[in-house]
Amino acid sequence: MTREMTGAEMVIQALKDQGVDTIFGYPGGAVLPIYDEIIQQEGLEHILVRHEQGAGHAAEGYARSTGKPGVALVTSGPGATNMVTALTDAMLDSIPLVCISGQVPTHLIGNDAFQECDTVGITRPCTKHNWLVRDVDDLPRILHEAFYVATSGRPGPVVVDIPKDVQFATGTYQGPTPNPAAAHKSYRPQLKGDASSIRMAAELMANAKKPVLYTGGGVINSGPQACQLLRELVSLTGFPITSTLMGLGAYPASGDNWLGMLGMHGTYEANMTMHDCDVMICIGARFDDRITGRTDAFSPNSKKIHIDIDPSSINKTINVDLPIIGDVAHVLEDLVRIWRSSSLKSDAKAMKDWWTQIDQWRARNSLAYKPNSDVIMPQYAIQRLYELTKHRKTFISTEVGQHQMWAAQFYGFEEPNHWLTSGGLGTMGYGLPAAIGAQVAHRDALCVDIAGDASILMNIQEMSTAVQFGLPVKVFILNNQYMGMVRQWQQLLHGNRLSHSYTDSLPDFVKLAEAYGGVGFRVEKPGDLDGAIEEMIAVDKPVLFDCRVANLTNCFPMIPSGKAHNEMLLPDEANDEAVANAISAEGKSLV
């Protein structure tokens, strides 16, 4: 397709040619030509958010729940700078996001014009790549290239900054090339893993006595085939499997080999298995600090295999014995084929002994908590939400804090792309717009944001977006009147001096929901919880559900910062003396 268009028309046509059906945005002077084209076209839905950060997180939620790139449209200056948090969030969690930003006319760039900022300079550290388009004839190529960069290799965010005069200018539009990888000379991610290395990995696995599969968000980013191949590999080998926060759902939580999430608030069995294993197969994860704990004591006696499409992740934090650079789906396909077609198999006796040990760790019941008939325990609230929604098509997003960890621990994910959370950046305010993005993509689904009373206020204005566009998202607030995780760390590390972590003067969430045009619920007793959740689900409007939970509950199990995996604090050990003994001066410097 080649024809004359304005730059603004090119933007709309390029989005359609890339298969985009939804964009999240907020208009402003520097993008008015693009918005003028939006109102005159059909086929591309625009969701008006109430803050540009909300546009970015909604696009992330759309991307994470669909596997397709999310698209945000913002104006210059503060519009672009308000996107920085969402761009950084997408960068750390490998979410494909294309942000189109307006810019002042080219002749004003560098003159400190009204609503001008150096968008390319500001966003360079938090994007895979960005472009400032000075010539309208470059615009189609750059737009198509932006989608290729955002979605290929390790996914991530990109920014295309378009001056206003370029949007008005006329040039020749060309559609996307059939094979963008061939056309792109400088960026060609390696998809196929080295065959000899994959063979070595299979042999290491066959000789393992105490293996574990350690999986991450890269499995989900690689697509449904990767998740299916992972499940097949577990079935073939009989290996135990654990996952990072971002990898939940790649392997079903109901699976026999599932150990639960690992890391700082992971299960005892997952962390002990990681610590004591002799062969670790890391698939699509990056050994981040929430997972490794003390790096010099991390799984000290294991051979480590690392499968990742991003070469920069190899040996960045943990030195590995066998790196395999390639797309997870391609590498797992080769690994499964080798395992099926060769004489390789797991050591049956060793695996029986290994599972006996793992079952002993499981018997510790590290997620146990004391039930209460008078006060809602936050863990119980998540369990009841799970039981009442697990048979529906449900997408769960979260804000960040204790509620996020409890959701990861107690909500069982059976499929990929149904768990939307901010892992790397830990962005309070992520969950509501992310749920909106998922709801836009899945109109018939139940989309629930599990929130804290502090986090939800970060982007509460997006309730207005949900109401305007008829998006019946449910915000399930675990309200303990504290910034719960901040309070927990202050209790454990700072002598229980609760400096500004008590969220006094909270709004009446029921009235707030009604003020936005939604529906509000408040529940204070465990016996009332099930009925209220069922009512919440039945309401075809946005909901704020104020679930009053025990105020001072801490999130356990927990690896204190600076400690190794085998130095976990379990709920039954978490008294003041145990905490004092577990947390050293070293730990205090590593929160």
Side-chain angles (χ1 to χ4, degrees):
M1 177 184 183
T2 302
R3 64 184 177 90
E4 292 295 300
M5 292 185 187
T6 66
E9 289 177 295
M10 289 178 180
V11 171
I12 302 304
Q13 189 60 53
L15 293 178
K16 290 182 177 180
D17 286 349
Q18 289 293 334
V20 175
D21 54 26
T22 307
I23 55 177
F24 303 87
Y26 200 94
V31 283
L32 287 185
I34 298 174
Y35 271 90
D36 193 45
E37 292 299 326
I38 288 174
I39 199 67
Q40 299 181 64
Q41 59 82 47
E42 294 179 353
L44 192 64
E45 183 178 19
H46 178 275
I47 302 296
L48 176 66
V49 296
R50 299 309 189 261
H51 190 284
E52 289 87 357
Q53 183 185 349
H57 294 323
E60 283 189 275
Y62 178 95
R64 188 69 174 172
S65 67
T66 62
K68 300 191 296 185
V71 180
L73 175 62
V74 300
T75 194
S76 63
T81 58
N82 281 344
M83 272 291 298
V84 168
T85 298
L87 291 169
T88 309
D89 192 276
M91 187 70 174
L92 286 173
D93 285 346
S94 305
I95 308 300
L97 177 62
V98 176
C99 173
I100 297 169
S101 59
Q103 184 56 274
V104 300
T106 52
H107 69 277
L108 290 178
I109 292 175
N111 287 342
D112 295 331
F114 176 67
Q115 289 195 333
E116 180 196 0
C117 73
D118 179 8
T119 300
V120 165
I122 289 169
T123 62
R124 185 173 290 120
C126 61
T127 54
K128 282 185 72 175
H129 197 64
N130 56 22
W131 298 261
L132 172 60
V133 186
R134 291 180 176 270
D135 187 333
V136 70
D137 287 322
D138 293 331
L139 182 56
R141 170 184 59 81
I142 289 173
L143 287 167
H144 298 314
E145 191 172 288
F147 278 87
Y148 168 67
V149 173
T151 57
S152 60
R154 178 181 175 181
V158 298
V159 168
V160 181
D161 198 34
I162 311 175
K164 192 169 185 179
D165 58 324
V166 174
Q167 298 172 43
F168 278 123
T170 301
T172 303
Y173 176 81
Q174 291 186 330
T177 58
N179 186 1
H184 206 293
K185 297 179 181 179
S186 61
Y187 179 62
R188 294 183 183 177
Q190 182 176 329
L191 298 181
K192 294 287 288 184
D194 178 71
S196 61
S197 296
I198 296 172
R199 165 65 67 170
M200 289 173 61
E203 291 172 353
L204 264 177
M205 291 165 63
N207 291 320
K209 308 298 182 187
K210 298 189 292 184
V212 66
L213 293 161
Y214 153 40
T215 61
V219 181
I220 295 173
N221 287 339
S222 186
Q225 184 189 10
C227 298
Q228 188 56 46
L229 287 165
L230 175 67
R231 296 171 186 215
E232 190 174 349
L233 184 65
V234 173
S235 177
L236 286 170
T237 61
F239 288 1
I241 178 170
T242 182
S243 166
T244 66
L245 181 74
M246 295 303 296
L248 296 176
Y251 182 83
S254 62
D256 292 338
N257 295 49
W258 178 240
L259 303 179
M261 183 179 71
L262 79 154
M264 177 170 281
H265 292 288
T267 65
Y268 185 65
E269 54 267 31
N271 284 319
M272 290 301 294
T273 300
M274 288 282 283
H275 186 271
D276 282 8
C277 70
D278 67 348
V279 173
M280 176 190 300
I281 307 99
C282 174
I283 308 173
R286 58 189 176 89
F287 294 99
D288 79 276
D289 63 293
R290 300 294 94 169
I291 296 303
T292 62
R294 220 178 85 201
T295 54
D296 63 349
F298 173 71
S299 193
N301 300 313
S302 66
K303 295 283 187 182
K304 299 175 180 68
I305 302 166
H306 189 184
I307 301 168
D308 204 295
I309 199 167
D310 181 6
S312 71
S313 291
I314 304 292
N315 294 327
K316 181 171 68 176
T317 304
I318 298 292
N319 289 326
V320 299
D321 300 278
L322 181 57
I324 302 175
I325 298 171
D327 177 70
V328 166
H330 285 79
V331 175
L332 286 181
E333 184 178 20
D334 290 341
L335 189 56
V336 167
R337 184 171 57 249
I338 289 170
W339 199 270
R340 279 193 178 280
S341 61
S342 68
S343 59
L344 296 175
K345 58 182 180 179
S346 306
D347 184 329
K349 182 181 182 306
M351 289 301 298
K352 183 178 180 181
D353 293 342
W354 185 220
W355 276 109
T356 298
Q357 174 61 76
I358 291 171
D359 286 340
Q360 290 175 4
W361 290 326
R362 277 177 167 167
R364 294 293 300 271
N365 194 14
S366 62
L367 297 182
Y369 63 92
K370 294 180 180 178
N372 193 309
S373 59
D374 295 320
V375 178
I376 300 173
M377 299 301 291
Q379 302 96 322
Y380 177 76
I382 302 295
Q383 284 181 310
R384 296 317 303 156
L385 179 67
Y386 170 64
E387 290 297 330
L388 294 168
T389 60
K390 66 181 180 181
H391 297 302
R392 304 175 62 96
K393 182 181 178 183
T394 304
F395 294 84
I396 298 292
S397 68
T398 74
E399 308 294 333
V400 170
Q402 287 180 319
H403 63 273
Q404 177 190 29
M405 294 298 103
W406 283 317
Q409 291 172 341
F410 290 95
Y411 199 102
F413 294 94
E414 299 294 307
E415 299 293 336
N417 301 106
H418 288 252
W419 166 244
L420 323 172
T421 196
S422 172
L425 193 61
T427 307
M428 295 171 73
Y430 168 92
L432 174 54
I436 287 173
Q439 190 77 79
V440 168
H442 307 275
R443 299 284 181 151
D444 61 337
L446 174 64
C447 296
V448 182
D449 170 29
I450 297 176
D453 52 278
S455 281
I456 189 55
L457 295 180
M458 288 281 187
N459 274 317
I460 190 66
Q461 75 284 341
E462 300 309 328
M463 277 291 288
S464 184
T465 300
V467 170
Q468 177 179 344
F469 290 92
L471 303 169
V473 295
K474 319 300 183 187
V475 183
F476 191 76
I477 304 169
L478 298 186
N479 186 349
N480 59 12
Q481 289 94 55
Y482 282 96
M483 300 175 200
M485 195 62 85
V486 173
R487 179 206 53 74
Q488 179 168 335
W489 279 105
Q490 287 175 336
Q491 176 188 342
L492 302 184
L493 287 172
H494 300 280
N496 205 30
R497 292 181 294 278
L498 307 186
S499 179
H500 299 280
S501 56
Y502 177 57
T503 50
D504 201 3
S505 299
L506 285 170
D508 182 324
F509 286 111
V510 173
K511 290 182 179 178
L512 186 60
E514 293 168 352
Y516 275 113
V519 176
F521 292 86
R522 180 184 296 115
V523 178
E524 300 182 3
K525 297 296 181 182
D528 299 330
L529 195 53
D530 279 20
I533 291 174
E534 288 172 342
E535 283 188 62
M536 174 190 79
I537 293 169
V539 170
D540 192 28
K541 283 187 175 183
V543 170
L544 292 181
F545 189 106
D546 184 3
C547 184
R548 299 297 181 97
V549 298
N551 294 62
L552 300 175
T553 306
N554 283 333
C555 185
F556 291 107
M558 171 181 147
I559 303 174
S561 289
K563 295 296 182 179
H565 279 183
N566 62 341
E567 298 176 286
M568 293 190 77
L569 278 176
L570 301 184
D572 57 352
E573 302 169 340
N575 54 53
D576 291 342
E577 183 179 356
V579 169
N581 291 336
I583 299 178
S584 64
E586 179 185 18
K588 289 182 180 181
S589 67
L590 293 168
V591 174

